[in-house]
């Protein structure tokens, strides 16, 4: 069983603040982190590997610092990591990203054929969730998105049973391997990594490929050039008609609010229960 | 079988990282363990990084380190309720290589510094807490972390775990700090556009200014406040000894709020946005509270060993220097394969012969004096302000006459003998 | 690719068990406006098994045309089969704009289709407009961590595709007198060739956040300070019969389960009354609640962006104000001896 997990380095949006005056990002101390959903994707691969044996590779596209998220993945339990890093990839939208990643997957698959690809549900910076299904299409394998449980893996029959989250409830799906999953956070808990993993990760040197190390690449489909979408403009959303701020002490404000609410008969009424 | 290292360093602050860096440079197999998400993630410092001790470790570091601004001006404020007496020095020579000091943001600086140690060959493991030292036959042989399969072994364990050093306590090297031995400091990082900072502090882009504030900044308690300029933010903080806080029933945040709203300070901050709020202890016990720094298989460096000069606000530099000395002692011990307390004792010797212990000794009575005799902060600062006001107000009184009046009012308030006593005591404390 | 060949605005009609999803009707409303501006027809794409009867519903919600493919293999949604059907239609009829609901299935389908058609896809859009001069779809969505929107354009590829958040667009009033054209298509699909099978669909209403249907919501933010303080919001909610929700920061801090997150990556809600308490009002949160009827904000920072969307704002410390509110509501209840109900 060879599982490849796609992992992305993202700015920690918990810390990023936008400067409201200049509309620019304030990344003073925001470190880059492993996309939280991708951490769950790696953890799920570890769980599957415990059942089936095999190898876990992780793959990332990004600047050289993205080796950090590969190391993080090794901590969680991945066996090896690949980073594709090249100017040619820069500025990619989801279409160009899935193209580049699928080319890297092709090369990884040459050494050991890939049985399963796992992605996060979405990356918290771009927040599209489009890259995973895109990769699946390019590899011509079935995608199953929003996975909340991998219930069974049958290595002999090459099938897998999956629970997929729906708007209300879930569905149970049987898929043939190889296939691609994108996972929700609730699929597992990230385990506290044991020390030997930490040491392995601290020592680990990811394999780094430039575009030249990938085969049969159509450069026109990479990076900015290969991206059909462009950012037109950035703007602060039109401010809705600003509401009224109540005035006075806390008590007075609460009082005013209660009066306002009680006045709005169409909103709320107090019914006598007796 | 768990892996054995030459050295395990606990804590990737300035002390631990400096030690790991030098050990790794000397070819030792070093493990550096940090509990934060990354080095510096939770670390706190007013922000003055002294050049010399880091330069000893990484020549020309200013060419690549994430520094905020080189400091070209240091101001000292004796602040009263509505006035301030200020003096200081500004020199353009500090704005060019090799510089004097810099402001830094620890979240960034510590990460960079640790990366240097990693590049030299140290292994860095984050998000891991060392729970205790593993002790066998009275000798430290490794550490127990909170991770599964988390025991690690080494010839030497370096305790660089900062002011509260739980590990040092576990080994019985020191006790819980007394409230008068530590200062509790609260600080805030306030974002402010670069242009505003340059205007308000009269600076160019790559020039920084520090202000140390005494007197009303701590509402007269023993302690100081500071205001430092970063690239596009300010660090403002204030602290007093824990004992003063307890006595005056103060909370660190209240002190900081008071300072931020002080009429002498608030115009400098106006329009800024609070980005981070932090609070931290500083070991200010000085010479007398330095614990045992060497044991069998273990050394203690930096804040964990209380190596802070409170009067001059030096800490990170002492941390780095002590880390380097410890590393050199470990390398020496390695060649003799003797990691006992006596094998490592060259660290202690180096430390006591260095500027660190000499400076700490010089000021060993200072804190005590100022704490015991609150008049220095409570009375003299307002007196200075009154005197200055009188002296500089042009009201037709001849200057000589003014000086006389000022002297008279000082001695009238405290009495001639007591003023002389105070001056002598202060001189003795810092001589 | 000749861009002029592409004409018309399409909406993917998501149906489950013979019921059209609300978001698809909302998209017909939004699509109608785009189509009118461009002076082209609006079409719905309806796939499934025995679903033709739904076409009228699609037309009465604003469509001029409905493309229908009825096939047993399309009974349940599956990327494989749905994708084939959609790509077939899009390649044959060449729409210039193609919208999908940003639901699990809609996002999944759109991503696969965009890859095969080699075109751009904008995710989780919350505003749609047309640049008439260039006949370009302006699809805007919140970006980064703060109060900023980015307009995404797809200049050189067609169709221009976007997924749109449920509940941010408005459906049109049903007009059963509308007439439209139903275009039935057939494609070859073979169950044996499918590599995924839906074995079972489990509707689990308990798992679904009851936020979506709540009349009143009390939503708390990080400013509540800690989990302990957050508990007082439950008391408020209980007193007035509301449901509790939270911002992402609250969910990430572990004070609330994921299902109760409101906003772009959580639930979109439209209650009658929305209490926004100790939350800043970041755009990602606001897009999920701004269509609430009556918004009450409590925040100690008078400049918090939440006040821009609030009907009424209280500038104050939530820890002080909320207990007072609870007390007031309790008093009113006991005075009138009853329960609070909502029109
Ligand atoms: C408000 C304030 C202002 C200051 N201003 C200045 C100044 O302007 N200039 C100056 O030079 N000094 C200043 N100092 C002092 C300076 O910050 C310290 O002296 C210096 O940081 C000490 O370095 P250290 O490496 O010994 O300890 P620390 O920097 O505290 O590092 C200790 C490290 O160990 C880690 N750690 C602790 N326990 C464990 C454990 N059990 N397991 C794993 N990791 C652990 C911690 O996470 C931390 O990273 C200031 C201090 C404060 C609080
Ligand atoms: C791709 C992406 C998707 C996202 N999706 C979502 C989403 O779906 N939902 C969501 O909510 N967020 C989402 N976010 C995060 C969003 O950008 C904000 O970070 C988040 O909404 C902030 O949460 P908050 O308002 O609780 O916290 P904060 O922004 O920290 O605000 C706390 C507020 O409480 C106030 N306050 C503090 N103390 C008190 C007190 N005692 N009394 C009264 N007021 C007080 C403060 O003034 C402040 O305004 C997303 C971000 C990204 C990048
Ligand atoms: N640059 C990248 N490198 C590796 N994986 C990626 C990259 N971008 C996206 N992914 C994967 O695709 C998922 C969805 O990302 P997105 O479509 O950007 O929301 C992520 O959770 C990752 O698993």
């Amino acid at each position: 069983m060879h599982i490849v997990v796609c992992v992305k380095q993202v700015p920690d949006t918990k810390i990023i603040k936008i400067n409201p005056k200049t509309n620019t990002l304030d990344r003073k101390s925001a470190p880059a982190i492993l996309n939280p959903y991708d951490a769950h994707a790696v953890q799920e691969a570890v769980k599957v590997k415990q059942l089936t044996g095999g190898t876990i590779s992780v793959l990332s596209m990004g600047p050289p610092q993205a080796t950090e998220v590969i190391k993080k993945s090794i901590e969680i339990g991945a066996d090896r990591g690949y980073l594709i890093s090249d100017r040619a990839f820069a500025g990619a939208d989801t279409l160009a990203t899935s193209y580049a990643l699928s080319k890297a997957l092709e090369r990884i698959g040459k050494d050991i054929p890939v049985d399963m690809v796992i992605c996060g549900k979405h990356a918290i910076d771009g927040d599209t969730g489009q890259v995973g299904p895109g990769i699946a299409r390019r590899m011509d394998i079935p995608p199953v998105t929003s996975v909340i449980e991998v219930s069974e893996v049958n290595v002999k029959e090459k099938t897998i049973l999956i629970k997929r989250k729906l708007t209300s409830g879930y569905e149970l799906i049987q898929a043939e391997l190889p296939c691609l999953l994108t996972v929700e956070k609730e699929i597992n808990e990230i385990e506290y990594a044991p020390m030997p993993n930490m040491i392995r990760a601290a020592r680990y040197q990811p394999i780094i490929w430039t575009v030249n190390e990938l085969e049969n690449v159509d450069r026109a489909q990479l990076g900015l050039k290969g991206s059909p979408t462009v950012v037109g403009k950035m703007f602060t959303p039109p401010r809705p008609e600003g509401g009224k701020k109540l005035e006075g002490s806390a008590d007075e404000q609460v009082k005013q609010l209660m009066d306002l609410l009680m006045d709005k008969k169409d909103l709320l009424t107090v019914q006598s229960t007796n | 079988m768990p892996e054995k290292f030459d050295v395990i360093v606990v804590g990737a602050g300035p002390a631990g990282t400096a030690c790991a860096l030098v050990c790794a440079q000397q070819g030792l197999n070093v493990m550096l363990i940090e509990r934060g998400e990354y080095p510096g993630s939770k670390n706190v410092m007013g922000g003055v990084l002294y050049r010399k001790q880091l330069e000893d470790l990484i020549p020309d570091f200013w060419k690549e380190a994430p520094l905020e601004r080189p400091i070209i001006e240091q101001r000292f404020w004796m602040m009263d309720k509505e006035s301030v007496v200020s003096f200081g020095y500004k020199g353009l020579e500090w704005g060019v290589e090799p510089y004097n000091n810099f402001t830094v943001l620890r979240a960034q600086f510590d990460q960079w510094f640790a990366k240097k140690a990693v590049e030299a060959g140290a292994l860095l493991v984050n998000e891991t807490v060392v729970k205790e030292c593993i002790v066998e036959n009275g000798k430290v042989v490794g550490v127990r972390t909170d991770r599964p399969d988390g025991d690690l072994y080494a010839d030497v364990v370096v305790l660089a775990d900062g002011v509260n050093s739980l590990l040092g306590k576990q080994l019985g090297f020191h006790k819980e700090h007394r409230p008068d031995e530590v200062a509790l400091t609260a600080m805030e990082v306030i974002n402010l556009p670069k242009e505003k900072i340059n205007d308000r502090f009269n600076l160019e882009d790559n020039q920084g200014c520090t202000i140390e504030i005494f007197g009303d900044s701590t509402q007269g308690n023993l302690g100081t406040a500071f205001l430092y300029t970063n690239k596009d933010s300010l660090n403002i903080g204030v602290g007093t000894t824990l004992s003063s806080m307890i006595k005056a029933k103060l909370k660190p945040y209240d002190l900081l709020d008071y300072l931020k709203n002080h009429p002498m300070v608030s115009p400098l901050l106006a329009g800024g946005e609070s980005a981070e709020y932090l609070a931290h202890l500083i070991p200010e016990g000085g010479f007398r509270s330095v614990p045992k720094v060497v044991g069998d298989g273990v050394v203690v460096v930096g804040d964990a060993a209380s190596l802070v000069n409170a009067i001059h606000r030096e800490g990170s530099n002492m941390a780095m220097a002590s880390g380097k000395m410890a590393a050199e002692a470990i390398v020496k011990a390695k060649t003799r394969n003797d990691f006992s307390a006596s094998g490592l004792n060259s660290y202690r010797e180096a430390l006591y012969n260095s500027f660190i212990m000499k400076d700490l000794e010089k000021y060993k009575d200072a804190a005590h004096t100022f704490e015991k005799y609150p008049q220095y902060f409570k009375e003299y600062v307002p007196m200075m302000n009154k005197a200055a006001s009188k002296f500089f107000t042009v009201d037709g009184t001849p200057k000589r006459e003014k000086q006389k009046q000022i002297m008279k009012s000082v001695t009238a308030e405290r009495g001639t003998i007591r003023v002389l006593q105070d001056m002598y005591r202060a001189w003795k404390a810092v001589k | 690719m000749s861009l002029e060949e592409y004409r018309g605005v399409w909406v993917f009609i998501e149906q489950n068990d013979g019921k059209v999803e609300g978001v698809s009707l909302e998209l017909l409303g939004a699509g109608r406006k785009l189509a009118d501006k461009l002076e082209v027809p609006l079409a719905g794409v309806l796939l499934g098994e025995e679903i033709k009867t739904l076409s009228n519903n699609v037309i009465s919600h604003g469509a001029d045309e409905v493309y229908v493919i009825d096939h047993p293999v399309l009974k349940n949604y599956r990327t494989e089969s749905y994708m084939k059907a959609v790509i077939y239609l899009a390649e044959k009829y060449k729409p210039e704009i193609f919208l999908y609901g940003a639901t699990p299935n809609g996002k999944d389908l759109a991503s696969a289709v965009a890859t095969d058609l080699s075109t751009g896809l904008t995710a989780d859009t919350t505003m749609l407009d047309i640049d008439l001069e260039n006949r370009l779809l302006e699809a805007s969505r919140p970006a980064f961590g703060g109060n900023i929107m980015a307009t995404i354009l797809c200049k050189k590829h067609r169709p221009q595709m976007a997924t749109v958040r449920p509940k941010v667009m408005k459906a049109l009033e049903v007009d059963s007198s509308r007439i439209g054209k139903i275009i039935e298509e057939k494609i070859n699909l073979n169950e044996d060739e499918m590599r995924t099978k839906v074995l079972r669909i489990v509707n689990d209403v308990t798992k679904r956040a009851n936020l979506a249907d709540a009349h009143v919501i009390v939503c708390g933010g990080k400013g509540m300070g800690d989990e302990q303080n957050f508990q007082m919001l439950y008391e408020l909610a209980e007193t007035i019969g509301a449901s509790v929700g939270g911002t992402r920061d609250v969910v990430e801090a572990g004070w609330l389960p994921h299902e109760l997150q409101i906003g772009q990556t959580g639930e979109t809600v439209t209650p009658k009354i929305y209490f926004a308490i100790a939350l800043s009002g970041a755009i990602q949160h606001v897009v999920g609640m701004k269509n609430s009827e009556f918004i009450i904000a409590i925040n100690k920072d008078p400049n918090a962006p939440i006040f821009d969307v609030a009907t009424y704002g209280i500038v104050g410390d939530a820890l002080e104000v909320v207990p007072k509110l609870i007390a007031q509501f309790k008093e009113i209840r006991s005075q009138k001896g009853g329960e609070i109900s909502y029109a």
Side-chain angles (χ1 to χ4, degrees):
Chain A
M1 191 78 177
H2 184 201
I3 308 173
V4 183
V5 185
C6 294
V7 296
K8 186 179 185 187
Q9 188 176 46
V10 295
D12 191 345
T13 48
K14 271 185 301 201
I15 306 175
I16 288 192
K17 290 247 149 58
I18 291 261
N19 181 332
K21 277 152 211 119
T22 59
N23 271 341
T24 50
L25 289 182
D26 183 5
R27 294 188 175 179
K28 181 150 299 149
S29 51
I33 57 168
L34 171 61
N35 180 32
Y37 289 91
D38 301 350
H40 290 277
V42 179
Q43 184 70 55
E44 197 56 25
V46 171
K47 275 178 64 186
V48 172
K49 180 182 153 180
Q50 278 162 1
L51 297 174
T52 62
T55 311
I56 303 169
S57 305
V58 296
L59 166 63
S60 189
M61 176 174 96
Q65 309 86 281
T67 49
E68 289 303 318
V69 299
I70 290 177
K71 289 187 164 213
K72 193 83 204 170
S73 306
I74 304 276
E75 287 178 9
I76 300 172
D79 297 296
R80 55 170 123 180
Y82 302 85
L83 173 67
I84 56 170
S85 193
D86 199 303
R87 259 170 216 281
F89 301 133
D93 72 356
T94 55
L95 194 72
T97 301
S98 69
Y99 180 71
L101 289 174
S102 67
K103 284 292 159 192
L105 277 157
E106 226 173 85
R107 163 117 204 238
I108 293 171
K110 274 203 168 156
D111 296 338
I112 321 175
V114 177
D115 299 297
M116 197 192 293
V117 180
I118 311 185
C119 289
K121 177 195 175 192
H122 60 226
I124 61 167
D125 58 346
D127 191 25
T128 74
Q130 292 170 180
V131 170
I135 294 172
R137 278 310 303 144
R138 294 180 184 282
M139 295 175 73
D140 192 22
I141 59 176
V144 183
T145 54
S146 302
V147 174
I148 50 173
E149 191 182 306
V150 175
S151 326
E152 224 179 276
V153 185
N154 190 328
V155 184
K156 251 217 233 91
E157 302 283 326
K158 288 200 157 273
T159 58
I160 149 172
L161 269 187
I162 311 150
K163 276 188 192 164
R164 172 169 185 260
K165 187 178 181 173
L166 296 176
T167 317
S168 65
Y170 65 90
E171 60 187 0
L172 190 65
I173 293 183
Q174 186 184 48
E176 284 173 23
L177 296 178
C179 66
L180 179 142
L181 315 181
T182 76
V183 302
E184 299 276 338
K185 270 188 184 171
E186 64 220 67
I187 193 166
N188 55 40
E189 296 275 328
I190 307 288
E191 275 164 37
Y192 199 46
M195 187 52 100
N197 284 16
M198 302 299 289
I199 297 177
R200 221 173 76 72
R203 292 210 170 101
Y204 190 75
Q205 302 290 343
I207 300 149
I208 302 177
W209 287 333
T210 63
V211 66
N212 296 326
E213 277 136 308
L214 304 180
E215 289 159 24
N216 305 322
V217 177
D218 170 13
R219 283 176 185 253
Q221 293 191 53
L222 292 176
L224 200 58
K225 258 192 303 185
S227 299
T229 59
V230 292
V231 177
K233 55 176 191 252
M234 306 272 257
F235 60 100
T236 31
R239 304 205 149 176
E241 191 58 19
K244 190 168 172 282
K245 275 187 209 142
L246 303 176
E247 291 182 354
S249 71
D251 280 314
E252 286 158 11
Q253 293 192 52
V254 169
K255 185 82 187 44
Q256 285 174 53
L257 179 66
M258 296 305 294
D259 292 346
L260 283 164
L261 276 173
M262 291 302 138
D263 259 6
K264 293 244 165 197
K265 287 281 178 302
D266 51 332
L267 271 183
L268 145 165
T269 50
V270 182
Q271 274 177 345
S272 167
T273 39
N274 38 45
Chain B
M1 178 58 203
E3 199 170 327
K4 185 170 174 245
F5 296 89
D6 293 326
V7 188
I8 293 172
V9 180
V10 185
T17 297
C19 185
L21 171 71
V22 175
C23 285
Q25 281 169 342
Q26 299 298 319
L28 298 189
N29 188 7
V30 189
M31 164 65 87
L32 176 58
I33 304 177
E34 168 58 43
R35 70 176 165 194
E37 211 175 314
Y38 53 88
S41 57
K42 298 250 158 53
N43 290 352
V44 184
M45 177 163 118
V48 179
L49 176 83
Y50 302 89
R51 187 237 320 150
K52 172 75 173 75
Q53 284 74 27
L54 181 53
E55 191 183 11
D56 288 348
L57 294 163
I58 304 174
D60 292 352
F61 69 87
W62 52 84
K63 295 198 168 126
E64 52 165 320
L67 306 167
E68 290 294 313
R69 293 177 185 240
I71 297 162
I72 63 148
E73 180 177 9
Q74 301 192 345
R75 298 184 200 166
F76 299 85
W77 281 10
M78 304 292 154
M79 193 164 82
D80 199 3
K81 297 257 182 279
E82 292 190 336
S83 61
V84 65
V85 175
S86 139
F87 59 95
Y89 175 78
K90 179 171 185 172
L92 294 180
E93 80 279 13
W94 284 351
V96 294
E97 286 191 13
Y99 303 102
N100 184 31
N101 308 328
F102 303 89
T103 45
V104 292
L105 291 167
R106 285 283 296 269
Q108 291 171 2
F109 175 79
D110 285 17
Q111 264 186 95
W112 170 84
F113 193 31
K115 208 172 100 209
K116 288 283 138 190
V118 169
E119 281 166 11
L123 283 186
L124 170 65
V125 168
N126 291 318
E127 290 177 275
T128 302
V129 181
V130 172
K131 295 304 238 188
E132 57 182 357
C133 293
I134 303 173
V135 182
E136 282 171 12
N137 305 321
K139 186 179 173 319
V140 174
V141 294
V143 296
R144 178 151 298 147
T145 69
D146 62 343
R147 292 203 171 263
D149 300 327
D151 288 2
L152 294 173
Y153 292 87
D155 289 330
V156 184
V157 173
V158 178
L159 306 188
D161 52 344
V163 53
N164 263 330
S165 186
L166 296 176
L167 302 178
K169 274 178 222 162
Q170 178 219 341
L171 296 179
F173 283 18
H174 66 90
K175 295 198 212 43
E176 197 70 53
H177 286 291
R178 286 195 323 267
D180 61 322
E181 283 178 331
V182 283
L184 182 53
T185 304
M187 66 171 279
E188 215 170 303
V189 182
I190 295 180
N191 287 342
L192 195 68
K194 195 187 214 156
E195 302 73 40
K196 285 226 166 95
I197 294 179
N198 293 356
D199 281 356
R200 288 182 194 175
F201 292 85
N202 190 19
L203 300 166
E204 304 276 331
D205 272 359
N206 201 28
Q207 299 179 337
C209 164
T210 62
I211 310 178
E212 314 289 340
I213 312 172
F214 305 88
D216 198 42
S217 56
T218 53
Q219 300 178 7
N221 291 289
L222 173 60
T224 59
F226 59 85
L227 177 60
Y228 299 158
T229 57
N230 300 320
K231 279 204 183 84
D232 46 16
S233 61
L234 300 173
N235 284 1
I236 181 165
V238 57
T240 77
T241 55
L242 204 48
S243 49
S244 304
M245 291 235 180
I246 296 168
K247 228 188 298 169
K249 295 209 175 57
L250 284 168
K251 286 202 211 77
Y253 189 69
D254 296 338
L255 267 185
L256 186 54
D257 250 8
Y258 180 82
L259 177 66
K260 280 166 58 190
N261 291 314
H262 194 286
M264 296 295 113
V265 176
S266 64
L268 293 173
L269 312 178
E273 255 182 69
S274 174
E276 272 177 278
Y277 171 75
L278 308 149
H280 205 266
L281 290 173
I282 309 180
E284 296 199 339
F287 190 76
R288 293 198 176 86
S289 63
V290 174
K292 197 167 140 181
V293 294
V294 176
D296 287 330
V298 63
V299 294
V300 191
V301 296
D303 274 13
S306 281
L307 304 179
V308 167
N309 179 345
I311 302 277
H312 289 252
R313 223 177 237 303
E314 290 178 33
S316 61
N317 59 333
M318 297 193 161
M320 287 178 195
S322 65
K324 178 167 181 273
M325 286 179 234
E328 283 156 358
I330 292 167
V331 171
K332 221 180 271 171
K334 172 87 183 172
T335 57
R336 284 183 257 121
N337 207 25
D338 175 6
F339 303 103
S340 67
S342 67
L344 291 166
N345 201 47
S346 65
Y347 165 52
R348 190 177 186 281
E349 283 164 14
L351 188 65
Y352 276 77
N353 285 325
S354 71
F355 77 100
I356 298 179
M357 292 312 277
K358 291 194 172 138
D359 284 357
L360 292 190
E361 187 177 10
K362 171 170 184 302
Y363 293 117
K364 66 178 186 290
D365 294 319
H368 178 70
T369 304
F370 292 125
E371 170 116 29
K372 193 153 168 213
Y373 303 99
Q375 59 266 31
Y376 292 104
F377 285 86
K378 279 217 163 71
E379 293 174 28
Y380 283 110
V381 172
M383 251 184 248
M384 278 171 76
N385 278 272
K386 269 187 231 152
S389 170
K390 187 162 258 163
F391 190 70
F392 293 121
T393 304
V394 178
D395 57 5
T397 319
K399 295 286 179 265
R400 205 179 291 281
E401 179 62 20
K402 280 197 178 196
Q403 281 167 355
K404 256 195 217 144
Q405 285 177 7
I406 289 167
M407 276 320 288
K408 229 201 218 134
S409 74
V410 170
T411 46
E413 266 175 52
R414 276 201 69 77
T416 318
I417 305 284
R418 287 175 61 205
V419 169
L420 288 175
Q421 267 177 352
D422 287 345
M423 283 167 69
Y424 173 69
R425 205 164 25 225
W427 173 76
K428 242 188 71 181
V430 300
K431 76 169 189 299
Chain C
M1 170 178 300
S2 157
L3 303 187
E4 289 74 40
E5 280 175 38
Y6 290 76
R7 270 285 180 273
V9 177
W10 283 18
V11 170
F12 173 69
I13 305 296
E14 192 172 339
Q15 59 82 22
N16 285 304
D17 253 353
K19 217 183 135 270
V20 175
E21 291 283 322
V23 65
S24 302
L25 304 177
E26 292 156 26
L27 286 187
L28 287 170
R32 185 71 261 164
K33 284 190 205 141
L34 304 180
D36 288 347
K37 267 200 187 169
L38 290 166
E39 298 175 7
V40 293
L42 171 69
V45 173
L46 184 57
L47 311 178
E49 187 185 26
E50 289 172 24
I51 35 75
K52 201 180 149 190
T53 47
L54 299 176
S55 307
N56 293 330
N57 192 15
V58 175
I59 291 168
S60 62
H61 275 90
D64 303 309
E65 299 167 344
V66 188
Y67 292 90
V68 181
I69 300 182
D70 200 314
H71 197 292
V73 172
L74 296 174
K75 182 171 188 323
N76 293 313
Y77 172 81
R78 263 180 300 180
T79 325
E80 282 185 281
S81 52
Y82 270 57
M83 183 193 86
K84 280 210 176 110
V86 169
I87 291 170
Y88 169 78
L89 291 174
E91 284 182 338
K92 182 161 174 189
Y93 294 100
K94 302 191 187 325
E96 58 190 315
I97 291 176
F98 199 164
L99 307 175
Y100 307 72
T103 59
N105 291 350
K107 293 178 79 156
D108 183 90
L109 175 64
S111 313
V113 171
T115 312
D116 276 63
L117 297 181
S118 273
T119 191
L121 171 62
T122 307
D124 281 297
T125 322
T126 57
M127 284 168 70
L128 294 170
D129 206 348
I130 295 285
D131 164 5
L132 199 53
E133 194 182 324
N134 301 303
R135 289 186 85 81
L136 277 180
L137 175 69
E138 297 179 323
S140 304
R141 60 186 306 251
F144 309 113
N147 293 289
I148 200 160
M149 300 278 290
T151 304
I152 313 289
L153 307 172
C154 175
K155 292 185 174 161
K156 301 202 188 99
H157 299 256
R158 293 294 177 271
Q160 309 167 74
M161 308 220 304
T163 61
V164 183
R165 286 293 294 184
K167 292 207 172 184
V168 294
M169 304 293 163
K170 281 237 174 337
L172 301 175
E173 295 279 325
V174 177
D175 177 358
S176 357
S177 68
R178 281 191 64 95
I179 34 177
K181 202 163 85 184
I182 299 175
I183 302 140
E184 278 192 86
E185 280 284 345
K186 295 222 166 341
I187 58 164
N188 249 335
L189 289 170
N190 188 345
E191 187 58 49
D192 294 340
E193 285 169 12
M194 295 292 131
R195 293 169 294 180
T196 47
K197 310 233 177 286
V198 178
L199 302 184
R200 191 158 19 109
I201 294 183
V202 180
N203 273 314
D204 186 353
V205 259
T206 55
K207 267 257 160 178
R208 181 174 184 170
N210 57 355
L211 285 173
D213 309 318
H215 280 301
V216 184
I217 291 175
V218 172
C219 181
K222 202 63 196 294
M224 290 306 290
D226 57 35
E227 197 172 356
Q228 183 80 31
N229 291 340
F230 200 85
Q231 301 306 314
M232 73 171 69
L233 299 186
Y234 279 100
E235 199 188 339
L236 175 61
E238 209 167 289
T239 317
I240 60 176
S243 304
V244 173
T247 62
R248 181 161 93 169
D249 287 25
V250 161
V251 166
E252 300 240 315
W255 306 348
L256 275 185
H258 271 108
E259 305 89 81
L260 298 185
Q261 178 182 320
I262 295 171
Q264 188 196 341
T265 36
E267 291 282 321
T268 304
V269 297
T270 48
K272 295 247 173 216
I273 308 179
Y274 189 93
F275 287 90
I277 305 182
L279 59 86
S280 55
I283 184 71
Q284 289 89 353
H285 182 73
V286 167
V287 296
M289 49 66 75
K290 67 165 193 263
N291 289 337
S292 309
E293 233 178 278
F294 195 85
I295 299 170
I296 299 157
I298 305 173
N299 195 306
K300 68 177 176 191
D301 172 6
N303 297 319
I306 190 64
F307 287 122
D308 297 337
V309 299
T311 329
Y312 286 102
I314 293 184
V315 181
D317 187 339
L319 304 182
E320 188 188 339
V321 174
V322 173
K324 289 189 203 295
L325 267 178
I326 296 173
Q328 287 279 340
F329 276 114
K330 281 194 171 155
E331 197 184 315
I332 287 179
R333 279 182 58 162
S334 71
Q335 264 173 20
K336 310 216 170 162
E339 303 226 318
I340 297 174
S341 73
Y342 305 95

